Amino acid sequence: MADTIVTSDQSSTSSQNSARIICHVCQKQFSQYTCPRCNSRYCSLPCYKSHSLRCTESFMKENVVQELQQMQPNEQTKHKMLDILKRFHSEEEMDNMDEDSFEDSTLSEETMEKILSGQEINLDDLSLEEKKQFQRAIASGELSKMITPWDPWWSKLSAKEIRLSKEGTQLVQPLSEQESVIVNETEINESSEIPLGPEVPLPPLSSLSSKEPSPLLTVHLVDILYSYCFTLRLYNGDWRSDPIGSVMVVLSVSSVLGQGGQPETVLEALTHCLEQVCSPAYRNMGGLQFGLGVIDDVISLLSLGSPAMVCALCDMRRLIQEGEKEAKSEKPRKSRRNEIRSSIKQAERKIYFIMCWVHEQPEEAWSSLAAIVMAEKTSAMEFQGSNKAKILNKKAETRGKCLIEEIE
């Protein structure tokens, strides 16, 4: 017996079990599904979507609401969502800041072309607005954030292995095959950063002067080493990038080299150096706190002994010589340093003399001098916390002159 075809849903249940119902939508195919809302019979998904728009939208809405109601967020989910929102907000703020900074630091097309072509840019090439932006970047310290901090050569482990000959010249020590295998690339790089010692033997002091060396040379050594360490810190270890500027820094910080000073105590020498560090010329370097840190550099050099100090003074002499050469090569109308060329030459002689003197001193002398400098640094730190430190910074900033005050 053939199946009964039913075109209406008014039939009884018993008849529907044995009958096949035609789709109420297309009226062409047999129905296979029933709408859960209106019980309308349909054959396929297209027919379901078209049988009643109100019915399908209502059904989807109920499903979504039911799914959302079943989602009970725990604390972990809430925290994750908060983190996402915070991160999005932060990134949005950073994007805005980057856009603002880009707008503020936009360079002219001419300047950008020079930079892209690899040409050297100096301050005179910048427009008035660009110069203002550059000066603001210097004053705020933004430029310093772009520079990798320099690790001084005297803080390297290889600095403890410096060896000089009896005449003070650099020793060449060939490594054995076993040692050459052990030496790694880091040690080689560290060794290359240490300045070379004298290339020719150092003469005895008696050949340089008929007089006995002054007992104040230990104090003068502290003054000179301080100016050397400060200059290298200022130029991030690369004084060759500006030899003349480096010479000017040395002469301004060292009273012995720049002013013919004769400090009689370590305290007097350090006080002068600290005053120069706190002057307006170096106010962006960190002030008194930075100056106290340079004292640690001096102590490190003293602790390393004569070979390291001879290398440091030899490097300082090269610095002076390079600055002198560059100053001579400049045209007189462009150079503003003609009047101090004699001071540069005199500073070179003093450095050479004290380098020969250091070479002849016993190693035991340096540990005692390092202890004295350490003790004076402690006094200076106490001085920093007192009202006198505030007066020192204030006077140096307003007047920019050399000040020496007695510390109780």
Side-chain angles (χ1 to χ4, degrees), residues 17-170:
N17 292 335
S18 59
R20 303 185 66 182
I21 302 175
I22 294 295
C23 175
H24 293 174
V25 181
C26 63
Q27 298 290 326
K28 297 178 180 179
Q29 303 292 335
F30 291 111
S31 65
Q32 300 181 23
Y33 312 101
T34 303
C35 175
R37 292 191 58 82
C38 63
N39 293 323
S40 177
R41 305 284 295 185
Y42 61 93
C43 64
S44 60
L45 181 60
C47 289
Y48 168 74
K49 291 181 178 180
S50 60
H51 89 282
S52 173
L53 183 61
R54 181 185 301 175
C55 188
T56 54
E57 287 183 351
S58 178
F59 176 68
M60 293 297 295
K61 182 178 179 180
E62 286 182 0
N63 283 341
V64 171
V65 172
Q66 184 178 3
E67 185 68 22
L68 290 175
Q69 288 176 348
Q70 292 177 357
M71 294 176 61
Q72 298 294 332
N74 53 26
E75 290 298 322
Q76 185 178 4
T77 306
K78 292 180 180 178
H79 286 307
K80 285 184 178 180
M81 182 57 67
L82 287 174
D83 290 339
I84 293 172
L85 292 174
K86 288 179 181 178
R87 187 165 60 250
F88 175 77
H89 182 66
S90 299
E91 291 175 354
E92 192 176 42
E93 287 185 343
M94 290 299 296
D95 291 340
N96 294 334
M97 290 176 63
D98 291 341
E99 291 177 0
D100 295 340
S101 60
F102 177 78
E103 293 177 358
D104 294 340
S105 61
T106 302
L107 298 174
S108 63
E109 292 185 3
E110 183 180 357
T111 303
M112 288 297 298
E113 288 178 0
K114 288 183 178 180
I115 295 174
L116 294 175
S117 62
Q119 298 182 32
E120 185 176 347
I121 303 295
N122 55 43
L123 195 61
D124 296 332
D125 295 327
L126 302 179
S127 64
L128 180 60
E129 184 60 30
E130 289 170 346
K131 288 179 181 179
K132 291 180 180 179
Q133 293 173 2
F134 181 72
Q135 295 296 338
R136 285 197 295 266
I138 294 177
S140 63
E142 288 298 319
L143 292 182
S144 62
K145 297 178 181 178
M146 303 172 64
I147 302 174
T148 304
W150 176 61
D151 193 12
W153 62 263
W154 51 81
S155 66
K156 308 286 187 181
L157 292 176
S158 54
K160 298 180 180 180
E161 305 299 327
I162 300 176
R163 297 291 183 268
L164 300 178
S165 67
K166 292 182 180 180
E167 294 78 21
T169 54
Q170 187 80 33

Side-chain angles (χ1 to χ4, degrees), residues 138-257:
I138 294 177
S140 63
E142 288 298 319
L143 292 182
S144 62
K145 297 178 181 178
M146 303 172 64
I147 302 174
T148 304
W150 176 61
D151 193 12
W153 62 263
W154 51 81
S155 66
K156 308 286 187 181
L157 292 176
S158 54
K160 298 180 180 180
E161 305 299 327
I162 300 176
R163 297 291 183 268
L164 300 178
S165 67
K166 292 182 180 180
E167 294 78 21
T169 54
Q170 187 80 33
L171 284 179
V172 178
Q173 298 176 336
L175 298 176
S176 64
E177 293 183 3
Q178 183 178 1
E179 289 176 330
S180 61
V181 173
I182 297 175
V183 173
N184 55 33
E185 186 177 352
T186 303
E187 292 174 340
I188 295 175
N189 292 336
E190 286 186 3
S191 299
S192 63
E193 293 177 4
I194 297 176
L196 296 176
E199 297 178 357
V200 297
L202 297 176
L205 283 177
S206 57
S207 65
L208 300 178
S209 175
S210 58
K211 298 180 180 179
E212 286 293 324
S214 170
L216 298 179
L217 286 180
T218 53
V219 177
H220 296 180
L221 175 64
V222 173
D223 172 276
I224 293 172
L225 289 179
Y226 188 100
S227 65
Y228 171 73
C229 295
F230 177 80
T231 302
L232 262 64
R233 287 282 187 183
L234 182 65
Y235 283 91
N236 216 37
D238 185 19
W239 59 260
R240 289 178 177 81
S241 62
D242 184 13
I244 292 181
S246 300
V247 170
M248 298 303 295
V249 173
V250 168
L251 297 181
S252 66
V253 174
S254 171
S255 65
V256 174
L257 299 178

Side-chain angles (χ1 to χ4, degrees), residues 324-373:
E324 184 181 11
K325 289 179 183 178
E326 191 167 313
K328 288 181 179 179
S329 65
E330 290 185 351
K331 295 181 180 180
R333 61 185 181 86
K334 291 185 178 181
S335 176
R336 295 176 293 180
R337 302 179 175 89
N338 291 331
E339 67 279 4
I340 64 168
R341 283 180 180 174
S342 60
S343 299
I344 295 177
K345 194 66 179 177
Q346 190 175 4
E348 181 195 351
R349 294 195 189 100
K350 288 183 178 180
I351 292 172
Y352 186 69
F353 182 84
I354 204 165
M355 178 169 58
C356 296
W357 173 80
V358 167
H359 175 62
E360 292 186 2
Q361 301 310 301
E363 290 294 332
E364 298 77 18
W366 308 129
S367 57
S368 301
L369 183 57
I372 294 174
V373 175

Side-chain angles (χ1 to χ4, degrees), residues 267 270 292 295-296 299 371-385:
L267 181 59
L270 292 177
L292 292 173
I295 298 179
D296 290 330
I299 296 172
I372 294 174
V373 175
M374 176 64 75
E376 296 300 353
K377 182 198 172 185
T378 304
S379 299
M381 292 178 68
E382 294 173 356
F383 172 71
Q384 181 190 14

